[in-house]
Amino acid sequence: MTTVFEEEAPARVQASCSLDDYLDMPDHSMDDRIAAARAALGKQAVILGHHYQRDEIIRFADHTGDSYKLSKIAAEAAGRYIVFCGVHFMAESADILAQPNQQVILPDMNAGCSMADMADISQVEACWDSLTAAGLMKEDAGGLIPLTYMNSTAAIKAFCGERGGLVCTSSNAAAAFRWAFARGQKILFLPDQHLGRNTAHAMGIPPQEMVVWDPYQINGGLMPERLRAARVILWKGHCSVHQRFLPEHVDRVRAKYPGIQVIVHPECRLEVCQKADEIGSTERLIKIIEQAPTGTMFAVGTEIHLVHRLGQRFASLGKRVITLDDSGCLCTTMFRISPQHLAWVLENLVEGNVVNRIRVSEDVKHWARVALDRMLEIRGV
Ligand code: 13P
Ligand code: SF4
């Protein structure tokens, strides 16, 4: 398997303090240090913060956004260092889109994504081989286009680019489906079954034309005739944060707050999305609340840090924002990016040390860039 990222060689990662020294200190003691390091770096560095990051990080971000918005900002960023406060696949995408003189840094290398981890490149290659054996790639069988959600490894993005496919985000999945159906009759959608199912459902594709490929079963657990009838082959992956929202949460919140607007992310289950008033990417959910009249109350089905922040931001404007499920859905890997990690990477940069650099290998980068460029060229946001 190709190695898709490397950390800087140990000799270059020596800081005057070790990461452990930072981790021993309280969160709030980092603020002045982060601000000072940020100021010292000036235009050399740009800090990107995904909407699911904690407040202690978001307050230092030069730009905030969802995956799509941040990938566009990363592609256009001028700084020499792109400090990505998000998860691993996002930093990989930034490295793929960055200029050759730019370096992308992920403050904590353990900030992965459980959904992205559900599709390993070797499993996807094995799936593709099985689909080839089933004759689904032949012209007269309709042709198969691989399409991957942004929340996947660089190796999988490259896999899609090399085979005539592309990347999408939750902002442009419908446009990506239209792009793919203009070129083939079937889509292999990786790795989030819910985003794939919700998108296909909204396009009028019936359930009998969708199948779920289970990488842990022979032939994905599917009979050849089911595969032949399918227009969309969904990978059996999900987001552990959004999958926790259930249809009964929608019923409960509506019973408690009559008139409440339920808005959810398309990584939620189809049954939840169907009950919701609106479905939207993270950026779209924010816009819906921004554009609503004073007095509107929302229950939002997405990551809890964003929901809390929206609650605070809109309270003074007379709009109430609560979570769809009181038990709260925290993305534990996003949460790994702490003020201590941010201070550590920034102070190292001030000293000339690049720590936690994300570097996608050149062969993977080429085809992943093809897949990402196809995404950036399609309309639909
Ligand atoms: P977006 O950023 O595309 O809304 O996706 C949500 C998510 O789960 C990011 O990890
Ligand atoms: Fe991955 Fe879900 Fe966390 Fe996004 S919210 S990083 S998809 S686990």
Side-chain angles (χ1 to χ4, degrees):
M1 205 182 100
T2 322
T3 304
V4 295
F5 69 94
E6 305 155 18
E7 293 182 44
E8 283 290 286
R12 293 207 57 209
V13 300
Q14 290 302 311
S16 49
C17 288
S18 76
L19 176 59
D20 285 346
D21 296 328
Y22 287 76
L23 296 178
D24 283 344
M25 289 184 255
D27 283 9
H28 65 83
S29 68
M30 294 290 110
D31 284 6
D32 291 346
R33 293 177 63 166
I34 294 172
R38 178 75 203 83
L41 287 164
K43 289 197 168 120
Q44 283 190 84
V46 59
I47 303 178
L48 305 183
H50 189 274
H51 286 309
Y52 300 169
Q53 290 286 298
R54 331 172 180 188
D55 294 355
E56 306 90 275
I57 298 297
I58 287 290
R59 75 167 68 111
F60 291 107
D62 298 305
H63 303 278
T64 58
D66 64 2
S67 308
Y68 180 79
K69 188 172 162 193
L70 292 180
S71 68
K72 286 195 78 170
I73 291 170
E76 289 153 16
R80 185 164 155 218
Y81 305 117
I82 299 173
V83 179
F84 211 120
C85 298
V87 291
H88 194 273
F89 71 79
M90 296 178 185
E92 277 190 331
S93 298
D95 186 53
I96 293 160
L97 294 167
Q99 304 301 315
N101 63 333
Q102 290 179 311
Q103 302 188 21
V104 178
I105 290 140
L106 181 66
D108 184 353
M109 284 293 192
N110 291 316
C113 163
S114 54
M115 178 202 285
D117 290 345
M118 287 175 197
D120 182 80
I121 184 63
S122 58
Q123 294 175 321
V124 174
E125 283 166 351
C127 164
W128 195 256
D129 290 347
S130 298
L131 296 176
T132 311
L136 295 184
M137 253 64 82
K138 289 189 196 134
E139 269 311 304
D140 59 0
L144 180 68
I145 306 290
L147 170 51
T148 190
Y149 189 22
M150 181 69 105
N151 304 16
S152 56
T153 64
I156 287 177
K157 292 183 177 83
F159 176 93
C160 292
E162 198 170 357
R163 288 160 186 80
L166 78 164
V167 175
C168 72
T169 69
S170 54
S171 305
N172 58 15
F177 266 62
R178 286 194 292 275
W179 185 98
F181 277 133
R183 287 156 181 83
Q185 286 178 10
K186 291 176 192 284
I187 291 175
L188 170 63
F189 189 80
L190 304 152
D192 182 17
Q193 58 169 305
H194 299 302
L195 177 64
R197 189 178 293 110
N198 284 320
T199 308
H201 176 82
M203 294 175 83
I205 296 174
Q208 61 273 21
E209 291 182 10
M210 296 185 224
V211 290
V212 177
W213 181 277
D214 182 346
Y216 294 99
Q217 297 212 35
I218 294 165
N219 279 331
L222 296 165
M223 300 302 283
E225 53 277 19
R226 284 281 284 133
L227 268 176
R228 266 192 291 275
R231 291 181 65 204
V232 180
I233 302 164
L234 303 164
W235 191 263
K236 195 173 180 195
H238 64 264
C239 166
S240 45
V241 175
H242 291 94
Q243 191 177 269
R244 286 181 51 180
F245 294 110
L246 301 172
E248 45 267 40
H249 296 145
V250 182
D251 298 338
R252 213 176 292 156
V253 83
R254 285 214 172 107
K256 193 166 175 192
Y257 304 102
I260 196 166
Q261 293 291 298
V262 176
I263 58 174
V264 302
H265 194 280
E267 287 173 17
C268 295
R269 300 162 193 266
L270 179 70
E271 301 79 0
V272 172
C273 291
Q274 282 191 292
K275 278 185 175 255
D277 294 293
E278 291 210 55
I279 308 165
S281 67
T282 309
E283 209 60 41
R284 168 115 185 88
L285 295 177
I286 298 170
K287 276 210 180 74
I288 291 170
I289 302 170
E290 275 170 354
Q291 290 165 0
T294 304
T296 316
M297 180 172 180
F298 290 96
V300 187
T302 193
E303 208 273 344
I304 196 72
H305 285 91
L306 174 63
V307 179
H308 276 159
R309 215 159 26 243
L310 292 172
Q312 286 163 355
R313 179 178 154 199
F314 288 102
S316 60
L317 300 170
K319 301 178 201 178
R320 193 159 167 218
V321 180
I322 61 169
T323 174
L324 178 56
D325 170 25
D326 272 342
S327 68
C329 288
L330 165 85
C331 177
T332 51
T333 48
M334 285 272 182
F335 191 76
R336 293 199 76 104
I337 308 292
S338 66
Q340 292 82 349
H341 285 94
L342 183 57
W344 177 64
V345 298
L346 292 178
E347 289 186 351
N348 265 286
L349 286 178
V350 172
E351 289 180 16
N353 300 322
V354 178
V355 290
N356 281 10
R357 181 175 174 192
I358 297 291
R359 225 168 3 174
V360 177
S361 65
E362 287 305 317
D363 53 334
V364 170
K365 203 178 250 188
H366 170 78
W367 285 111
R369 174 137 205 160
V370 169
L372 279 164
D373 282 345
R374 284 181 186 138
M375 174 189 83
L376 293 171
E377 279 157 23
I378 59 171
R379 291 168 55 81
V381 187

Short mmCIF file of all heavy atoms in Angstrom, two decimals, residues 52 87 89-90 112-116 149 151 239-242 267 303 331-334, ligand 2:
data_model
loop_
_atom_site.label_atom_id
_atom_site.label_comp_id
_atom_site.label_asym_id
_atom_site.label_seq_id
_atom_site.Cartn_x
_atom_site.Cartn_y
_atom_site.Cartn_z
N TYR A 52 -16.62 22.40 13.43
CA TYR A 52 -16.82 21.50 14.58
C TYR A 52 -15.70 21.63 15.62
O TYR A 52 -15.67 20.87 16.58
CB TYR A 52 -16.89 20.04 14.12
CG TYR A 52 -18.01 19.71 13.16
CD1 TYR A 52 -18.04 18.49 12.49
CD2 TYR A 52 -19.05 20.61 12.91
CE1 TYR A 52 -19.06 18.17 11.60
CE2 TYR A 52 -20.06 20.30 12.01
CZ TYR A 52 -20.06 19.08 11.36
OH TYR A 52 -21.07 18.76 10.49
N VAL A 87 -9.59 17.68 10.78
CA VAL A 87 -9.13 16.29 10.89
C VAL A 87 -8.21 15.93 9.73
O VAL A 87 -8.07 16.69 8.77
CB VAL A 87 -10.30 15.30 11.05
CG1 VAL A 87 -10.98 15.49 12.40
CG2 VAL A 87 -11.30 15.44 9.92
N PHE A 89 -8.07 13.95 7.07
CA PHE A 89 -8.36 13.97 5.63
C PHE A 89 -8.46 15.40 5.10
O PHE A 89 -8.18 15.66 3.93
CB PHE A 89 -9.64 13.16 5.31
CG PHE A 89 -10.92 13.79 5.75
CD1 PHE A 89 -11.52 14.81 5.02
CD2 PHE A 89 -11.56 13.37 6.91
CE1 PHE A 89 -12.71 15.39 5.43
CE2 PHE A 89 -12.75 13.95 7.33
CZ PHE A 89 -13.32 14.97 6.58
N MET A 90 -8.86 16.34 5.95
CA MET A 90 -8.96 17.74 5.52
C MET A 90 -7.57 18.32 5.28
O MET A 90 -7.34 19.05 4.31
CB MET A 90 -9.69 18.57 6.58
CG MET A 90 -11.12 18.15 6.80
SD MET A 90 -11.89 19.12 8.10
CE MET A 90 -13.46 18.27 8.20
N GLY A 112 -8.07 12.03 13.54
CA GLY A 112 -8.50 11.32 12.34
C GLY A 112 -10.00 11.47 12.16
O GLY A 112 -10.61 12.37 12.71
N CYS A 113 -10.59 10.57 11.40
CA CYS A 113 -12.04 10.58 11.21
C CYS A 113 -12.49 9.14 11.12
O CYS A 113 -12.00 8.39 10.27
CB CYS A 113 -12.40 11.34 9.94
SG CYS A 113 -14.09 11.02 9.36
N SER A 114 -13.40 8.74 12.01
CA SER A 114 -13.80 7.34 12.04
C SER A 114 -14.49 6.94 10.73
O SER A 114 -14.35 5.80 10.27
CB SER A 114 -14.71 7.06 13.24
OG SER A 114 -15.79 7.95 13.25
N MET A 115 -15.18 7.87 10.10
CA MET A 115 -15.81 7.53 8.81
C MET A 115 -14.74 7.26 7.75
O MET A 115 -14.81 6.26 7.02
CB MET A 115 -16.71 8.66 8.34
CG MET A 115 -17.35 8.37 6.99
SD MET A 115 -17.86 9.84 6.14
CE MET A 115 -19.32 10.27 7.04
N ALA A 116 -13.76 8.15 7.65
CA ALA A 116 -12.70 7.95 6.64
C ALA A 116 -11.99 6.62 6.87
O ALA A 116 -11.63 5.92 5.92
CB ALA A 116 -11.72 9.12 6.70
N TYR A 149 -16.72 10.87 -1.01
CA TYR A 149 -16.96 12.02 -0.15
C TYR A 149 -15.60 12.57 0.26
O TYR A 149 -14.62 11.81 0.40
CB TYR A 149 -17.74 11.50 1.07
CG TYR A 149 -18.29 12.52 2.02
CD1 TYR A 149 -18.53 13.84 1.66
CD2 TYR A 149 -18.62 12.13 3.32
CE1 TYR A 149 -19.07 14.74 2.56
CE2 TYR A 149 -19.16 13.03 4.23
CZ TYR A 149 -19.38 14.34 3.84
OH TYR A 149 -19.91 15.21 4.74
N ASN A 151 -14.62 13.20 2.98
CA ASN A 151 -14.19 12.53 4.21
C ASN A 151 -13.65 11.14 3.90
O ASN A 151 -14.23 10.12 4.25
CB ASN A 151 -15.39 12.41 5.17
CG ASN A 151 -16.02 13.75 5.48
OD1 ASN A 151 -15.79 14.73 4.78
ND2 ASN A 151 -16.83 13.80 6.51
N CYS A 239 -20.87 8.26 9.67
CA CYS A 239 -20.28 9.18 10.65
C CYS A 239 -20.86 8.83 12.03
O CYS A 239 -22.09 8.83 12.21
CB CYS A 239 -20.63 10.62 10.29
SG CYS A 239 -20.30 11.76 11.64
N SER A 240 -19.98 8.57 12.96
CA SER A 240 -20.43 8.15 14.29
C SER A 240 -21.14 9.28 15.03
O SER A 240 -21.91 9.04 15.96
CB SER A 240 -19.24 7.64 15.11
OG SER A 240 -18.17 8.52 14.95
N VAL A 241 -20.92 10.51 14.61
CA VAL A 241 -21.60 11.66 15.23
C VAL A 241 -23.02 11.79 14.67
O VAL A 241 -24.00 11.80 15.42
CB VAL A 241 -20.81 12.97 14.95
CG1 VAL A 241 -21.55 14.18 15.48
CG2 VAL A 241 -19.41 12.87 15.54
N HIS A 242 -23.14 11.86 13.36
CA HIS A 242 -24.46 12.12 12.76
C HIS A 242 -25.37 10.90 12.76
O HIS A 242 -26.59 11.04 12.78
CB HIS A 242 -24.26 12.65 11.33
CG HIS A 242 -23.67 14.03 11.31
ND1 HIS A 242 -22.31 14.26 11.20
CD2 HIS A 242 -24.25 15.25 11.44
CE1 HIS A 242 -22.08 15.56 11.23
NE2 HIS A 242 -23.24 16.19 11.38
N GLU A 267 -25.32 13.66 6.58
CA GLU A 267 -24.67 12.44 7.09
C GLU A 267 -25.62 11.71 8.06
O GLU A 267 -25.30 10.63 8.55
CB GLU A 267 -23.36 12.77 7.81
CG GLU A 267 -22.24 13.17 6.87
CD GLU A 267 -21.00 13.66 7.61
OE1 GLU A 267 -20.87 13.42 8.81
OE2 GLU A 267 -20.16 14.33 6.96
N GLU A 303 -22.91 18.43 14.77
CA GLU A 303 -21.93 18.35 15.87
C GLU A 303 -22.21 19.42 16.95
O GLU A 303 -22.54 20.57 16.63
CB GLU A 303 -20.53 18.52 15.29
CG GLU A 303 -19.44 17.84 16.07
CD GLU A 303 -18.88 18.68 17.19
OE1 GLU A 303 -19.12 19.92 17.20
OE2 GLU A 303 -18.22 18.12 18.08
N CYS A 331 -17.78 15.31 18.16
CA CYS A 331 -16.80 14.59 17.32
C CYS A 331 -15.50 14.53 18.11
O CYS A 331 -14.79 15.53 18.25
CB CYS A 331 -16.60 15.29 15.98
SG CYS A 331 -15.33 14.43 15.02
N THR A 332 -15.20 13.35 18.62
CA THR A 332 -14.06 13.21 19.53
C THR A 332 -12.73 13.45 18.82
O THR A 332 -11.77 13.88 19.46
CB THR A 332 -14.04 11.81 20.16
OG1 THR A 332 -14.16 10.85 19.13
CG2 THR A 332 -15.16 11.63 21.17
N THR A 333 -12.69 13.20 17.52
CA THR A 333 -11.40 13.41 16.83
C THR A 333 -11.18 14.89 16.52
O THR A 333 -10.07 15.40 16.64
CB THR A 333 -11.30 12.54 15.57
OG1 THR A 333 -12.50 12.67 14.81
CG2 THR A 333 -11.08 11.09 15.93
N MET A 334 -12.26 15.60 16.17
CA MET A 334 -12.13 17.06 16.02
C MET A 334 -11.67 17.67 17.35
O MET A 334 -10.89 18.62 17.38
CB MET A 334 -13.49 17.67 15.65
CG MET A 334 -13.93 17.42 14.24
SD MET A 334 -13.31 18.72 13.16
CE MET A 334 -14.03 18.21 11.61
FE1 SF4 B 2 -15.56 12.23 10.75
FE2 SF4 B 2 -18.09 12.53 11.55
FE3 SF4 B 2 -16.12 13.67 12.93
FE4 SF4 B 2 -16.79 14.60 10.51
S1 SF4 B 2 -18.04 14.63 12.34
S2 SF4 B 2 -14.71 14.22 11.29
S3 SF4 B 2 -17.34 12.68 9.47
S4 SF4 B 2 -16.44 11.44 12.63
#
